[in-house]
Amino acid sequence: MTPLEMLLAQDGDPPTLTDLGGEDTFWQQAHTLAASPLWFRAAETLLVEWDTLHYPDQAATFVTQALTTTTSPAAADDLLDQLVEHPGYLQRASSQLNTLALERSRHHSTPLEAELAGIFLEAALRLALPGTTKRYGLLDRLVDPDATAAPAAYARRVVRALGTAYEHWRDSDLLTALQRFSRTIVQGDAAYELAMCHLADAANAPDRATLLQAFATARDLLQQAIDADEDRPDATAFLAALDAVLAFDTGNTTTLATATGQLRRSLTEHALWLTGTRTHWRAGRYDTEAAWYTLSCSLEHVDAHLDQPLTAWPNQTIQHVLTVYTAHRSVRLQPAEAAQGLQVLVAPRIEKAFASRQGLLLHLRGLVADAPDDWDAHAAHRLLQAIDDRLQADAPQEVQPGDPGKAAAAASYPELAAELGSQLLASLPTHMLTSLQTTYADWEATLIRKLPIAQQHIYNNILAVLRDCDDFHHPTVREHFTHLIVQAIRFLHSRTNRARAHHTPRFAYLFAPATGEKLPLEETVQEDLHDYLDGNLEEADIEVTDRSGGRADIEVRFPGFTTVIECKRTTGRTTRKGLRRYLGQTVAYQAGGITLGMLVVLDLTPKPSWIPNIRDDMWADHIPSPVPEQRDRWAVVIRVPGNRTSPYGMTTPAPAP
């Protein structure tokens, strides 16, 4: 074993190129490393340090050629898992990797060949799904009739690939190819994948008859999967979910409760079965099972309350109703843009229940403006529109103009008047108006009460500046932008408290670099903040083009509006006045929407003796318009303290002169 191989054989993370003697030394022994059983460790080293390589094309060739001859399924699987998502490698070798993967998927005579062929076939699929490569060569391999006679190791992966490909591309040839496996050694997997395909079609069904037919076919196939294999908690879970949806449609409370209980037990079994196994790239299907479970529980909850009077409808119940009403979004099966999905089954019963009681309708209307984080406000508005259409013929008599009741109601309940109109308010009883007003005011107070005192201080100071912004007074904008402010406060708190001793490499940008290392770029805080927001808000995208004539660092989308977060780094002038130099670009992104945005600055000035308190690191700024007849703009500014040392290494700060 050569010295380089001995380094590669060490436990833990792969060695760096520096550990191996530098890139030149690596290439001098490339042929030896390519033939070594430890070739995949050498390849991982190249992938980790790709951005610093002097010869990336040579690295791509090394990796691809090593995959051409490898006979280790474990090594191939692990490395391909990295390659199909590695932008540097794919930029240079995606076509070659696709060609290699398709070629190696053709050879599956022996058990070892079959295992490798299935791994390479899945790699080709993962390249084609996001559009990295063309899918036509892959489709030829997937519909190959010889696959049904291949060993189970290959046939099972073909079956799963066919199911995934159909859910994405809806090609009928894929469904036909999948049906060929119905009488093979993998018939249980084939039945399950066919059921998933029909379930995806059901979620996108344009009408009730099509949806019910797809459900019926999916149920039969799930039962076949259960009969074919001794242990199929996944198929049992989906079967119970379908029974729950159908029971809700017919109002069969007993069957709905039984099905939901079975679904709970099946998911528990499936979770235990998955415990300790490697997270696979198709783990999203299990997420979909969980979504069906949530939907079934919501169906059960709503079913228990649909026929009860208004006083029995708490906010939680209405949240469940909205979840059920938008069931086709809750179950993630790639819905088509125009498809109605499960709405065609569950919406009529919900709309009928709401339309039968106008008071309930009005109560929901009042709740739309101040819904909790996870409510779908857009869907709620659609629900109200559907109910309004049904009630139009029997609408109550409006209070005539001039009636003093209108003015009194509007003066007493200004927020509700802004949302519902003074005429409607004047026709409602006082106790209902009081309840709606309390609910309207509670959501923001509840949100802020959860914040620590220092974070409340930041929030209150920001709102004091934003009170002059007209856009911020719009109920929808205030509701969602308030949540964005709170998430930004929590992000700042988290990153300010992050300790060097416990950080992972992704948080290294917060600390002083080691000798010889460069200070981080602004992309580090941009990517960290994007990941944080993407997990806590509805939709957050990075590097979005065509935004006010430029490219937005982070764009956060809410119902009815978007806001842009500009990310910068600085090594000097970090005072509030100094950071105003970045506000011009920040507010430039407000030309095409609301006049509210955010600026995040990574402060890389040395901090040998002082880290600012978080109350000094976040504020709001008002940027007056240079033209009197145009709108002013506002920005929330977050200064993230980077280039930090540990508190025990800090000196006592000298007093300011």
Side-chain angles (χ1 to χ4, degrees):
M1 184 176 288
T2 67
L4 260 62
E5 289 179 294
M6 293 178 64
L7 288 171
L8 292 170
Q10 293 178 0
D11 293 336
D13 294 333
T16 65
L17 283 175
T18 302
D19 295 334
L20 298 177
E23 188 175 354
D24 291 337
T25 301
F26 183 97
W27 294 124
Q28 289 169 9
Q29 300 190 39
H31 291 295
T32 301
L33 293 174
S36 168
L38 297 168
W39 66 269
F40 63 94
R41 296 277 287 177
E44 288 176 346
T45 295
L46 294 175
L47 293 178
V48 169
E49 302 195 38
W50 194 276
D51 293 337
T52 65
L53 294 178
H54 297 295
Y55 308 103
D57 290 326
Q58 193 169 336
T61 301
F62 174 87
V63 173
T64 307
Q65 289 181 347
L67 284 169
T68 304
T69 57
T70 184
T71 57
S72 169
D77 199 14
D78 286 341
L79 189 61
L80 286 169
D81 192 42
Q82 300 176 57
L83 293 180
V84 295
E85 297 180 355
H86 194 287
Y89 172 82
L90 292 177
Q91 183 180 4
R92 288 171 166 78
S94 60
S95 178
Q96 294 90 323
L97 179 61
N98 184 57
T99 301
L100 170 63
L102 293 176
E103 177 58 31
R104 294 212 61 174
S105 71
R106 297 179 183 276
H107 309 288
H108 43 69
S109 300
T110 67
L112 178 60
E113 284 184 341
E115 185 69 22
L116 282 165
I119 291 170
F120 278 99
L121 181 70
E122 286 188 348
L125 175 62
R126 294 179 67 183
L127 289 172
L129 289 178
T132 304
T133 58
K134 301 295 184 182
R135 67 189 189 206
Y136 305 110
L138 170 68
L139 294 178
D140 287 340
R141 297 296 308 127
L142 290 176
V143 300
D144 178 14
D146 293 339
T148 56
Y154 179 68
R156 184 168 287 109
R157 290 183 186 262
V158 174
V159 163
R160 294 172 179 173
L162 282 166
T164 302
Y166 180 79
E167 286 181 16
H168 279 76
W169 297 318
R170 296 296 196 271
D171 190 320
S172 60
D173 289 342
L174 298 171
L175 209 58
T176 302
L178 195 49
Q179 290 166 347
R180 296 195 196 108
F181 289 87
S182 297
R183 298 185 182 277
T184 67
I185 193 172
V186 293
Q187 59 181 330
D189 287 297
Y192 179 77
E193 294 296 335
L194 281 167
M196 293 301 100
C197 293
H198 287 285
L199 199 57
D201 289 340
N204 302 323
D207 55 63
R208 179 184 176 85
T210 304
L211 183 145
L212 290 176
Q213 180 58 48
F215 265 12
T217 304
R219 288 191 80 263
D220 290 343
L221 289 164
L222 288 169
Q223 189 60 57
Q224 291 178 29
I226 296 170
D227 295 340
D229 292 338
E230 183 176 345
D231 189 13
R232 291 305 299 238
D234 50 358
T236 305
F238 276 111
L239 187 60
L242 295 186
D243 287 341
V245 173
L246 294 171
F248 176 81
D249 173 50
T250 59
N252 190 329
T253 301
T254 302
T255 303
L256 176 56
T258 301
T260 303
Q262 176 61 59
L263 178 55
R264 181 182 296 111
R265 290 190 296 274
S266 299
L267 280 179
T268 300
E269 292 175 13
H270 198 196
L272 292 173
W273 178 66
L274 290 174
T275 300
T277 61
R278 175 174 174 268
T279 301
H280 200 262
W281 66 277
R282 293 186 73 238
R285 174 150 291 169
Y286 182 67
D287 293 343
T288 306
E289 282 186 29
W292 276 99
Y293 171 71
T294 302
L295 171 61
S296 296
C297 289
S298 295
L299 289 173
E300 188 180 29
H301 189 107
V302 172
D303 184 75
H305 291 82
L306 273 179
D307 299 324
Q308 295 184 15
L310 173 62
T311 54
W313 281 70
N315 291 0
Q316 182 185 14
T317 300
I318 296 182
Q319 176 183 347
H320 281 284
V321 171
L322 294 181
T323 300
V324 174
Y325 187 81
T326 58
H328 64 303
R329 301 187 207 178
S330 300
V331 183
R332 297 178 297 157
L333 287 172
Q334 302 270 8
E337 287 297 325
Q340 300 179 55
L342 293 178
Q343 265 196 322
V344 301
L345 202 63
V346 300
R349 186 172 176 222
I350 295 173
E351 290 176 9
K352 181 180 179 181
F354 273 79
S356 66
R357 299 186 298 278
Q358 186 186 10
L360 190 55
L361 165 65
L362 297 176
H363 186 59
L364 178 60
R365 184 187 292 275
L367 292 174
V368 169
D370 45 294
D373 304 354
D374 49 358
W375 284 24
D376 189 334
H378 174 67
H381 282 294
R382 289 181 55 217
L383 174 59
L384 289 179
Q385 183 60 55
I387 299 169
D388 285 341
D389 292 342
R390 292 191 178 203
L391 293 178
Q392 189 172 8
D394 300 319
Q397 187 69 30
E398 289 283 4
V399 179
Q400 296 300 316
D403 192 310
K406 287 191 301 183
S412 301
Y413 308 98
E415 294 89 352
L416 296 180
E419 290 301 302
L420 304 178
S422 58
Q423 288 186 336
L424 181 57
L425 255 62
S427 65
L428 299 179
T430 302
H431 73 275
M432 182 178 290
L433 291 175
T434 303
S435 174
L436 290 174
Q437 177 74 17
T438 301
T439 306
Y440 181 89
D442 277 352
W443 75 266
E444 189 170 318
T446 301
L447 178 69
I448 305 310
R449 266 199 309 270
K450 298 177 182 178
L451 294 178
I453 294 174
Q455 296 179 38
Q456 290 185 30
H457 177 96
I458 299 172
Y459 177 87
N460 292 332
N461 285 347
I462 289 175
L463 257 65
V465 176
L466 297 185
R467 66 187 177 189
D468 295 326
C469 176
D470 291 339
D471 284 338
F472 189 66
H473 287 286
H474 188 285
T476 299
V477 175
R478 179 175 182 125
E479 172 190 348
H480 293 291
F481 199 82
T482 293
H483 283 292
L484 178 58
I485 293 172
V486 170
Q487 292 302 329
I489 293 173
R490 288 173 173 167
F491 173 81
L492 176 63
H493 175 265
S494 168
R495 299 318 185 246
T496 300
N497 283 334
R498 185 74 61 175
R500 178 189 283 273
H502 301 98
H503 79 269
T504 60
R506 64 174 300 183
F507 299 116
Y509 76 92
L510 295 170
F511 307 102
T515 304
E517 291 183 354
K518 296 181 179 179
L519 290 170
L521 301 177
E522 63 191 41
E523 286 85 351
T524 53
V525 69
Q526 176 191 9
E527 292 173 357
D528 187 23
L529 177 59
H530 169 261
D531 290 345
Y532 185 91
L533 295 178
D534 196 39
N536 290 283
L537 295 170
E538 291 188 7
E539 291 187 69
D541 285 339
I542 198 167
E543 296 292 344
V544 181
T545 58
D546 295 330
R547 291 297 179 266
S548 299
R551 181 180 62 188
D553 286 345
I554 299 175
E555 181 183 76
V556 185
R557 292 192 294 273
F558 296 111
F561 74 99
T562 63
T563 191
V564 169
I565 303 176
E566 176 68 12
C567 298
K568 293 292 185 184
R569 71 189 282 270
T570 183
T571 57
R573 290 203 299 159
T574 60
T575 62
R576 294 193 181 193
K577 181 178 180 181
L579 294 183
R580 284 184 65 88
R581 66 188 184 276
Y582 297 125
L583 291 179
Q585 182 176 353
T586 301
V587 301
Y589 291 111
Q590 299 171 11
I594 64 168
T595 56
L596 279 165
M598 275 193 177
L599 168 66
V600 176
V601 180
L602 177 58
D603 175 10
L604 295 176
T605 56
K607 298 172 181 64
S609 59
W610 196 261
I611 298 176
N613 186 277
I614 61 170
R615 287 173 290 184
D616 300 320
D617 268 337
M618 187 169 175
W619 62 89
D621 227 324
H622 171 210
I623 303 89
S625 167
V627 181
E629 62 268 18
Q630 295 183 8
R631 298 176 185 271
D632 292 353
R633 300 180 187 183
W634 283 260
V636 175
V637 182
I638 303 103
R639 182 175 56 197
V640 180
N643 199 8
R644 292 160 22 201
T645 58
S646 299
Y648 62 78
M650 290 185 174
T651 60
T652 302

